[in-house]
Amino acid sequence: MTVDQALGDLADEVREIRTALTTTLRQRLISVAKRTAPNVPITLHANPDPWATGAFAPLPAGEPDVDVLVGNCWGDPATDAARLTRLGELATASQRVGAYVLALPPRPADAEVLADQLRTYSKAGATEFHLYHAGLASPQRLQALAKALNLCR
C-alpha cells in the first residue's frame, strides 16, 4: 500500500503541508549557510519523492538555491537511476546532479560491477560521484573503486 492510498482523501492535503514545512526549513537553512559562507558551494541530499524520509529530504519541486542535488544510490541501480533522472529534471541548468554511491558491502569489491553501476548512474544524469563510506573501505575495495572510476572515464 502506498502512502497516498493509506491517507486516502487526505493525501493531497498532508503532502502539501509536509512539502511546505520541509521547503520552509530547507530554505531557511540555505539562507543562513549562504550568509555565513557565501562562496562555499551547497550540496543537498535530495529525493524527488514527496514522501521521502531520512537523510535524503523530499524535494518534489527542486531547489534552485543549491549547487548540487545528490541522490541516494545504495539500492537497486535501476531504481536509483530513475531517482537521479528525476533529480536531473528538477535541476536548473547550472546545477549538478550527484550520485551518492555505496562503496561498502553489500556492494561487491569488483571493479567491473562497480563500473557498470557508475555508468548506469552517469547515463541517468549524474555528473559526479559521492562515495559512502570510502574511509571505511578495505584496501582491496579502494583499489576496485579506483579502477571502476577509471573505467568510467
Side-chain angles (χ1 to χ4, degrees):
M1 175 178 283
T2 68
V3 175
D4 285 300
Q5 291 168 330
L7 291 173
D9 293 340
L10 295 174
D12 290 339
E13 184 178 354
V14 171
R15 186 184 315 100
E16 273 184 44
I17 292 168
R18 186 173 195 276
T19 301
L21 288 170
T22 59
T23 299
T24 299
L25 175 60
R26 181 180 64 251
Q27 289 174 345
R28 288 176 68 188
L29 292 170
I30 291 168
S31 176
V32 170
K34 285 182 175 268
R35 279 196 314 270
T36 304
N39 297 322
V40 174
I42 298 175
T43 298
L44 181 66
H45 287 193
N47 189 325
D49 180 355
W51 299 114
T53 60
F56 292 82
L59 192 75
E63 177 53 67
D65 291 329
V66 300
D67 301 283
V68 185
L69 300 176
V70 175
N72 182 321
C73 294
W74 299 1
D76 171 64
T79 302
D80 296 340
R83 186 178 310 110
L84 291 173
T85 297
R86 181 69 183 120
L87 284 177
E89 293 165 353
L90 295 172
T92 66
S94 64
Q95 286 178 319
R96 300 183 313 275
V97 174
Y100 201 22
V101 179
L102 181 60
L104 298 175
R107 294 289 198 240
D110 180 315
E112 295 294 334
V113 172
L114 293 170
D116 270 351
Q117 290 174 352
L118 296 177
R119 284 186 204 103
T120 297
Y121 302 144
S122 181
K123 288 176 187 171
T127 58
E128 57 190 53
F129 300 115
H130 301 243
L131 304 176
Y132 181 87
H133 192 293
L136 297 177
S138 67
Q140 175 192 5
R141 185 170 295 279
L142 286 174
Q143 289 174 348
L145 285 165
K147 184 175 179 183
L149 288 166
N150 282 321
L151 289 170
C152 290
R153 288 184 178 200

